[in-house]
Amino acid sequence: MVEQNVHGSLSRRRFFGAAAATGVAAAVAGSQWTPAAAAPVGEASLTVPPEFPGGIDLYQQSYVNWSKEIVFDHVWTCAPRGEGEVVTLANWAAKHGYTLRARGSMHGWSPLTVVPGYPVDKVVLLDTTAHLIGVNVDPTGSPATVTAQGGASLLSILTALEGHGLGWSSIPAIGDITIGGALAIDAHGATPPADGESAVPGTSFGTVSNLVTALTAVVWDDSVGEYVARAFTRSDPAIRPLLTHLGRTFISSVTLQAGADKRLRCHSTFDVGWQELFAPAGSPGRTFEKYLAESGSVEAIWFPFTQEPWLKVWSDEPNRPAQSREVTGPYNYAFSDTLPEPLTDGLGVVATQLAAGTPAFGASQLNAVKAGMALTGTADIWGTSKNVRLYLRATTLRVTAGGGVVLARRSDVATIIHDMANWINERLTHYSSLGQYPVNGPFEVRLCGLDHDTDVSVESSGPPSLSALSPVPGHPEWDTAIWLNVVSFPGTPGMHAFFREMELWMHGHYSGSLGTMRPEYSKGWAFTDDRSHADTEFLTRTLPSRYPEWESASAAFDEFDPRRIFRNPFLDKVMP
């Protein structure tokens, strides 16, 4: 859904022309894309916020999320230079009835920042990527730690750690997301342990949130009657809701533990059929279950209507295997992660109009990956954890996704994946027989461990309250997280209805003694037949029922933010 000229008559042409004339633009570091240009207050179409704090530049800018499903032409935006300015903005917003939304790299799908269909005339985005990007490593502590401001990217944090021989075991594939955003969405990697493997001290097989040892958030202080910057340690029970915060707070800085970095190999193959790879538990052959036992870190990407998935297996290799190519930087699949935006936009338009051409398009995606790897010599790479695990960025194909995570026994992983793969195959075959092709991207499988308190190397009050990977009370046997997603180009006819059907099936099938299903916050969930994040039953009943601490966490956010300046209409639905 697109909001255009919501509160004013400034045309897109005049809006962008004004920005070009004044030369005001947000500079986004690293691999992030440059968002649409900014217009100063004098050229704004929205009503100017009253008594806006002096010394903080205010401008009007568009907001475009990564999949381009959430687009606003005009939103008030500023770029605070430090924690003190954020506190000033918070108290101004409380006085004048405005809401503040932290804006990072915008590499996400969920309406956790701004919400399609709702006005933004009394919203101010705080661009954290312009100034709040400091990173400092303390390699001598026990554990070693890195402290970063909320707008620092995961790439910059991991690069700083790498300089001291440090790293994380579980690394999200997207390096341009900010650390504040990573805590909002419960960012995770694809790193479960192999059989008998233990986490390197200072690291975790769970989410980035579980690495936090301390943080500072902007919260209300009753004793002074205003918002302040408050430091929280991991031993303080009050920190737990903030560790996965869904955008209901503002994280100004965060300290995370780290451990000794590893050299990894990532070997890609395309010669295992999907029925063999996704075979039931105990099956012979080259099965997902077998690779999990041997290496732990496995990922499968199965393009629609093809026979052999793209299989990636990571393994610990202190020394470079003779057949592996050493890589000295991240994002090594240039054939898929360095695509100009006009090309990705064009492919998206074409993909949504393919219909009966979808099977050929699925085959072409797989063939493009094979050819790209052959051309770049990246089917077998070796290097530091950062360089081998980061492979998605802003210039990757812009797709959307549905699915979620199943928490279950490790012994049931093969059964869970087998059931999902066969359901997808049956449904796509069924719809194609009707001449319908509701999805045109791959089925993706990743695994990781849970957010165990024992992985935290300092005194801890417990795991993140709202992490999808927080252990389920009463079910210690559910020790593994299986991320199951189907992706597609936005605008594909029937896509939302398919994702709704899939979501209902998954939450019904992966239940009882088999495990429990939770959404992946950053992606699509709560589907109706025509949109995501909109099903009232899911938002108000299913989601809270999956988290024993949902109500207490929601109450904690209200205590931290009684003026509700860090919220939006979507969050008001899930945390009324």
Side-chain angles (χ1 to χ4, degrees):
M1 297 181 65
V2 178
E3 296 295 311
Q4 295 185 345
N5 300 321
V6 178
H7 290 280
S9 59
L10 186 66
S11 69
R12 287 180 65 92
R13 180 174 297 177
R14 185 180 170 205
F15 177 73
F16 292 121
T22 58
V24 180
V28 182
S31 64
Q32 299 169 6
W33 73 95
T34 302
V41 169
E43 296 287 343
S45 64
L46 301 176
T47 301
V48 177
E51 300 181 299
F52 193 78
I56 303 175
D57 291 333
L58 179 68
Y59 44 91
Q60 190 173 273
Q61 192 172 48
S62 72
Y63 177 93
V64 183
N65 79 326
W66 186 66
S67 62
K68 298 190 175 182
E69 294 175 290
I70 303 175
V71 178
F72 284 83
D73 283 350
H74 318 133
V75 189
W76 285 116
T77 307
C78 65
R81 294 175 178 84
E83 185 178 88
E85 290 192 354
V86 177
V87 171
T88 296
L89 288 163
N91 287 303
W92 167 83
K95 177 181 178 181
H96 292 281
Y98 275 69
T99 58
L100 304 179
R101 310 303 301 136
R103 201 210 76 187
S105 67
M106 300 180 286
H107 197 140
W109 294 263
S110 296
L112 299 181
T113 305
V114 287
V115 186
Y118 289 86
V120 292
D121 55 316
K122 301 198 74 173
V123 175
V124 177
L125 300 181
L126 277 56
D127 180 3
T128 65
T129 66
H131 305 295
L132 305 179
I133 56 175
V135 178
N136 182 63
V137 177
D138 179 7
T140 63
S142 181
T145 58
V146 57
T147 299
Q149 291 179 289
S153 70
L154 294 188
L155 174 59
S156 67
I157 293 170
L158 291 166
T159 300
L161 287 171
E162 185 181 77
H164 294 275
L166 299 168
W168 297 334
S169 294
S170 190
I171 298 175
I174 306 169
D176 64 4
I177 59 176
T178 64
I179 187 60
L183 300 190
I185 63 174
D186 202 31
H188 63 90
T191 316
D195 281 359
E197 182 182 10
S198 299
V200 172
T203 71
S204 168
F205 293 121
T207 66
V208 173
S209 296
N210 204 39
L211 298 173
V212 174
T213 61
L215 59 78
T216 300
V218 177
V219 302
W220 181 260
D221 186 338
D222 264 333
S223 67
V224 295
E226 62 182 25
Y227 285 87
V228 300
R230 174 180 164 186
F232 297 80
T233 64
R234 190 62 186 263
S235 61
D236 182 355
I239 198 176
R240 296 181 59 224
L242 302 173
L243 297 173
T244 300
H245 59 79
L246 302 180
R248 272 293 276 123
T249 190
F250 188 98
I251 303 296
S252 58
S253 68
V254 57
T255 299
L256 307 102
Q257 65 185 38
D261 199 11
K262 287 186 175 183
R263 297 299 189 271
L264 302 176
R265 177 191 188 189
C266 181
H267 188 204
S268 294
T269 57
F270 306 90
D271 61 350
V272 185
W274 71 270
Q275 290 172 311
E276 180 181 3
L277 183 63
F278 303 141
S283 298
R286 298 167 297 175
T287 65
F288 204 101
E289 183 177 55
K290 171 180 175 291
Y291 291 114
L292 171 63
E294 293 176 351
S295 298
S297 197
V298 188
E299 176 181 277
I301 300 176
W302 180 28
F303 294 99
F305 302 100
T306 63
Q307 294 303 309
E308 294 86 20
W310 175 9
L311 175 65
K312 292 194 283 187
V313 179
W314 290 266
S315 56
D316 295 346
E317 299 285 354
N319 300 305
R320 181 181 67 84
Q323 63 271 43
S324 300
R325 172 191 163 197
E326 182 175 2
V327 292
T328 57
Y331 309 124
N332 292 289
Y333 306 129
F335 53 87
S336 66
D337 65 22
T338 311
L339 302 176
E341 191 170 335
L343 175 59
T344 63
D345 289 347
L347 284 172
V349 172
V350 170
T352 61
Q353 300 172 357
L354 283 171
T358 299
F361 183 67
S364 71
Q365 292 178 79
L366 176 60
N367 289 333
V369 172
K370 291 180 179 179
M373 285 197 160
L375 182 65
T376 58
T378 50
D380 192 343
I381 59 176
W382 176 87
T384 60
S385 59
K386 166 183 71 69
N387 295 339
V388 174
R389 290 201 181 274
L390 293 180
Y391 69 91
L392 294 175
R393 50 182 168 178
T395 47
T396 307
L397 280 176
R398 301 194 179 199
V399 293
T400 192
V405 62
V406 181
L407 272 56
R409 301 175 187 84
R410 185 178 173 98
S411 59
D412 287 333
V413 165
T415 298
I416 287 164
I417 299 173
H418 170 79
D419 291 354
M420 184 73 189
N422 278 276
W423 185 90
I424 291 171
N425 181 66
E426 187 278 325
R427 298 316 293 159
L428 291 186
T429 300
H430 166 73
Y431 284 117
S432 66
S433 71
L434 302 177
Q436 300 174 16
Y437 297 87
V439 293
N440 41 44
F443 166 51
E444 301 180 346
V445 184
R446 301 175 180 90
L447 277 67
C448 60
L450 302 191
D451 284 343
H452 294 295
D453 207 32
T454 53
D455 290 338
V456 184
S457 299
V458 299
E459 183 182 350
S460 173
S461 57
S465 298
L466 300 183
S467 170
L469 303 188
S470 288
V472 179
H475 289 281
E477 73 278 13
W478 294 348
D479 57 358
T480 303
I482 307 100
W483 301 92
L484 305 167
N485 291 106
V486 174
V487 306
S488 189
F489 285 90
T492 301
M495 179 188 72
H496 288 110
F498 179 87
F499 283 158
R500 174 175 173 78
E501 179 186 6
M502 182 177 76
E503 182 173 65
L504 291 172
W505 178 84
M506 294 175 77
H507 279 267
H509 186 72
Y510 300 123
S511 60
S513 62
L514 185 58
T516 192
M517 182 88 192
R518 290 170 173 171
E520 186 167 4
Y521 293 132
S522 66
K523 296 180 179 175
W525 40 280
F527 287 97
T528 64
D529 285 344
D530 62 359
R531 68 189 66 188
S532 65
H533 307 97
D535 182 73
T536 300
E537 176 72 15
F538 193 102
L539 296 176
T540 61
R541 294 181 181 274
T542 303
L543 177 64
S545 73
R546 297 296 189 265
Y547 296 89
E549 297 182 57
W550 190 269
E551 289 188 7
S552 61
S554 181
F557 288 126
D558 286 341
E559 291 183 14
F560 293 143
D561 181 25
R563 302 298 186 267
R564 296 182 74 81
I565 63 170
F566 298 122
R567 52 91 178 173
N568 68 24
F570 174 74
L571 293 171
D572 286 345
K573 290 180 181 178
V574 298
M575 293 182 175

